[in-house]
Every structure is written in structure tokens, then in C-alpha cells.
Amino acid sequence: MTLHATIDRVTDRIRSRSRTTREAYLTKIARAAADGPRRAHLNCGNQAHAYAAMPDKDDLALSRKPNIGIVTAYNDMLSAHQPYERFPDLIRRAGNAAGATVQVAGGVPAMCDGVTQGRAGMELSLFSRDVIALAAGVALSHDCFDAAVYLGVCDKIVPGLVMAAATFGHVPAVFLPAGPMPSGLPNNEKSRVRQQFAAGEVGRDALMAAEMASYHSPGTCTFYGTANSNQMLMEFMGLHLPGSSFVNPNTPLRDALTVAGVQRAAAITRLGNDYLPAGEVLDEKAFVNGIVGLMATGGSTNLVMHIPAMAKAAGILIDIQDFHDISETVPLMARVYPNGLADVNHFHAAGGIGYMIGQLLDAGLLHPDVKTIHGTGLDGYTSEPKLDGEAIRWEEGSRDTLNDRILRPAHDPFAKTGGLKQLGGNLGRGVIKISAVAAERHVIEAPARVFSDQEQVKDAFKAGEFTEDTVVVVRFQGPRANGMPELHSLTPILAVLQDRGLRVALLTDGRMSGASGKVPAAIHISPEASVGGPLARVRDGDLIRLDAASGTIDCLAPDFDARPAAVHDPVPSSEGMGRELFAAFRAVAGPATEGAGVVV
């Protein structure tokens, strides 16, 4: 199938925009690769330090076996990362069987937005992505590794690891998922109980019971938020093996896929004949394919910030206009909560990523000619893994959806567009996700209520102050102000107001969770209010028009442009819960429209 003209045009635009930076990047990683296998450049003392604790130190010191480094986000507080506890031993055995040696290179932090949501710790969340990139860089700085395998799943962890893998782009990279937990209490039922609690209709005991029944075992949360959007992205971009993203933890198939991933890591080093540096996988076509996957699945808006940051680490410059244009071209083919009732286990059973990639390739909406850890060409990602004893064989995946309430073909989708819109106007630039927003709410025109943090919104709700159509403006939530926390804890409140018949919307320079859905939310507004962006001039009562159909966001007050900007008070977000440590990050963070990066 001929590549769709818009996909071709956007890719060419990215390539042209990135020509200088990408060429410099490729020169850098080629220079590093030209040095040959890494350990050969360590002196005897360097090597002795590196191998002292290893039982196979002679292999490390004397042989030409490839050495695989593990960079792990394991901890046992996060359900998504707890399965990684047993991965190092499995990877060592698989690596040794494949003729390689294996070392845990280092660990990276992994925080859970579900734990910190609405709390002070959430103000460290976005910056943890850059800390993860830094920590992974430290792990790889020993220069002992011929390939790296990355163990990470959730919101900032995968983007941070990709930033590191791109920075060390001469080193082959394989990402090994852990998989989603089995289905528990349906996500829509959990959401309903949250709204009942917010409205005072049920007590905390009912809320706790619902939450515990939803988040109930090792594995990723089952809704299609940022964590599972990350897993989709890694498969669409060729850094996972085909069909591996949504296989449940601690199952024979999951373990066999991990072994197969280690075998590929051993095969694609500089020591063999199939050398595949990470920087060559992470090219313009791969990132465009990732954005296509994001739109076709209705994935998390957080990736609109993470993808530009990941790409920048590989010398590629992506703008939110690229997301918008691809979204206008790519159909919405999946309905997974919060865009539908199904969870990711149901999505996977209905045909999952393999089915979608096949459909999108047939429609000319994906670049087929890409490098992946599975081999050259994306067509291999239409296959699905099957157990053959303890090994994996790939079989042709279903060419038909197995549940058309969850997955639809590209020619008969749930919606003709991906549902992500770029917004622009006198309030700045931002984005809105409308794939779960009812069509009659795509345009909201209402007076503003202005708040400086989400607790003020909650207090106003408890006081019964929202009695008319309202655009809730929460400003001073950008990366330079307080680290750009997610404001997902406002979702139940806004949903209650909407269910009461009010027309409401959120307008913020902060973020919303990948699990947010049915309330219109104009987010990532840039320039942010703390640096004098337009949100700092909005006042209570100003008429705000949010028009997702035309992609505009404006304050209609006649004197708006002439007003002085409100001044941000940084003190509340400058201390406590480790926020002191991140003052330097807040001072230099880039704008949300460019990924809000600190280290790239």
C-alpha cells in the first residue's frame, strides 16, 4: 500500500526540521560505534573492578562473548514493576544460554502517579523522567556493555529509559515489558464509585473496596492510561518483540518472551553480523509510527510531551502540529477505558496491537520500512507469539477483529480521526483529547473560575460554589512553576458537575492523567502562567471559548491583551516532599509544547 500523503508529508517535515541535529547525532553514535566492542578499551584495573563480583569473570575478561547490561526500574511497591524482581536471574540464564554474559548495570527510580495523585509528591513526577534518564546514563557510563535490556513500564519510566537509550545510541537496546495485571473490578465501575464518593453518596469504605478490587495484583493497571500507552508505543516503534506488550506477568508465555528478547539482545551487538544500534531504530519513521499508534488507540496525552523529549535525545525535533496532523488522518480503531468499557486484557484478546498494525499498514498509515529489534520491516509486528515447548514461535495474527466493540478495522473505525486536537488562540498553545468526550461538549463557552492549585478547586466544590456553566482555570501548574503535576484528582469533581447538567471544561498549563476522559480538558497550555503566559491574565468571570472543532482557545474579554499578568508565588511548591531538590529542574525546564525537558 502506498504511504498516505499526510504521513509522508509530516515525516518529511520532521526530517527537514531535524536535519542538522539528526546528522550531528548520527555522527556521534557512529564515532562511538567505530571504537568497536566497549570492554576492549578498559584497562586491566578498570576491568577487574567491573568483574570482581561476577562468577563468570573469566568469560568477561578473556572471551569475546557479548556482555548485556540490565537497566531496571524494579521495586516492589509498584504493581507494574514488582514482576521485574525475578527478571535478572531469568535474563542471566537466557543470556548465558545464548553465549552472552549479563550484569545488572544499575537501577532507576520508578514512582507511581496513582500513589502521588493530588499529593505534593506529584510535583516530582514529570521531572522523574529526566532523573531516570540520568540514572540510566550513570548505569551505562561504565562502558562495559555490548547491548542493554531495559526493564520499565509506567508513566515516566519508559520515556526516561528511551531518552537514555537514545543518548547511548551506539548500544543496541531491547525493552522487556512486564505485562498487565489480570482484569479486576471494571474500570468504569471504579470510576462510578469515585464519582459517588466525590458527591458524598458513598463512604470511604466503599471507595477503598472498589479501588482495591481494581488494583489487585502484580502487573500494570488495566486501563489505557500512560503506562499502557507506553507499552503500545514500544511495540509500534520496534523496541518490543511483536505481541509482547500485554501478556500477563508470571506466565510461561511472558517468561518465554523475556528469554526471546534476551536472545535478540545477544544477537544484535557489535560482536556479531547483525549489529543494530538503538539510534538507528529510533529514527523519524519510528517516531511517526509511534504517533500513529497513539492516535489509532486513543492513547494518553502525556505522550504528547514524552515523545518530543524522547525524539530530541535522538536528534529529532517534533512539534505538536505533527501530532495534530497525524490525528486528523488516523482513524480511532480502539475503544479501551477511558475511551470505552474494555480494558487492555480485552483489547489484547480482541486482536490487540498486531491486528492494528496490520490494518494501519494496509491503509498506508504506517512506515513499513523500519528497523526493529525483531528484524527489518514492521510487517513482522502483525504476527503473534505462541509457545512451542518453552520457546517462542511467531504465527500470523488475526486479520479480523475478534470483538468489534473493542477493535474496528481502519476502513470502519469508531471515529475518522484520532481525537487529539491542537489548540491555539490568545490563551496560548495546547492540546485536548476528545476521543472520550461527547460531541455536544466539543465546544464550551462559559465564564471562568480561576484557581492557583487543585485544592482550591476541591474546596470550592465542597462549598457548593459551582452552580452554573464554568471553565475551571487552574494555572501556575506548568513545569517552571511546580513541575507540571497531573490534575487527575479533579476528574471526579468535574464529572459530577457535568452529570448535574452543567457545561464544564478544564483549562490548565498542567497535565491530566492518561486515564482522564469525558470532561473537556485543554491542557499543556504554553507559555505557562508562571513565565507570564496568557493564563496569568485571566480573571474570574471572563468568558472563555474552548472550541475543539476549530482548534481554538480564547478569552473573549475585550481588554484581555492589555491586562497585567498575575504573579506566581513559588513558595508553596518550593519545599517539602523533596521539592527543594528539584529547584534547579524548575528553573530550566523547557515548555510543555517541546516536551518540558530538563536534560534534553
Side-chain angles (χ1 to χ4, degrees), residues 278-441:
E280 292 185 10
V281 175
L282 294 166
D283 67 1
E284 297 90 343
K285 292 179 180 179
F287 281 104
V288 168
N289 283 351
I291 297 173
V292 170
L294 180 68
M295 300 310 163
T297 58
S300 168
T301 53
N302 278 323
L303 291 190
V304 180
M305 286 199 313
H306 294 323
I307 287 175
M310 291 185 274
K312 193 173 182 181
I316 297 168
L317 306 179
I318 291 177
D319 186 80
I320 59 173
Q321 182 71 48
D322 304 323
F323 290 90
H324 175 87
D325 291 351
I326 292 174
S327 179
E328 290 292 288
T329 303
V330 173
L332 179 66
M333 297 168 56
R335 286 288 191 200
V336 188
Y337 188 86
N339 302 325
L341 298 181
D343 67 23
V344 293
N345 293 308
H346 306 139
F347 166 77
H348 185 66
I353 292 174
Y355 170 78
M356 295 191 75
I357 288 177
Q359 285 287 311
L360 291 163
L361 284 170
D362 289 347
L365 292 168
L366 286 170
H367 289 284
D369 52 336
V370 292
K371 295 180 179 180
T372 78
I373 64 164
H374 189 58
T376 300
L378 198 61
D379 58 332
Y381 283 74
T382 64
S383 61
E384 60 180 336
K386 299 287 186 180
L387 275 176
D388 186 359
E390 294 184 355
I392 291 287
R393 71 173 188 277
W394 272 271
E395 298 181 352
E396 182 178 354
S398 175
R399 305 297 289 177
D400 299 309
T401 176
L402 302 179
N403 187 332
D404 64 7
R405 293 173 297 173
I406 300 171
L407 269 179
R408 300 287 293 273
H411 64 83
D412 184 26
F414 292 104
K416 293 181 179 180
T417 67
L420 187 90
K421 295 276 189 174
Q422 178 182 215
L423 298 172
N426 68 1
L427 288 169
R429 290 179 85 198
V431 295
I432 184 171
K433 177 182 173 182
I434 59 171
S435 52
V437 176
E440 62 270 19
R441 298 186 184 276

Side-chain angles (χ1 to χ4, degrees), residues 68 220 247 282 299 463 562 596:
I68 299 171
T220 317
V247 174
L282 294 166

Side-chain angles (χ1 to χ4, degrees), residues 197-212:
F197 179 76
E201 297 171 2
V202 300
R204 185 169 293 275
D205 56 343
L207 178 65
M208 178 59 82
E211 299 286 358
M212 294 289 280

Side-chain angles (χ1 to χ4, degrees), residues 442-477:
H442 289 182
V443 179
I444 302 287
E445 187 173 303
R449 279 292 307 275
V450 182
F451 303 91
S452 296
D453 63 57
Q454 54 189 315
E455 291 306 313
Q456 294 175 356
V457 182
K458 296 174 185 177
D459 290 343
F461 175 79
K462 292 174 183 176
E465 296 178 12
F466 295 108
T467 59
E468 60 181 3
D469 296 349
T470 307
V471 173
V472 176
V473 178
V474 188
R475 64 191 181 194
F476 302 128
Q477 303 299 303

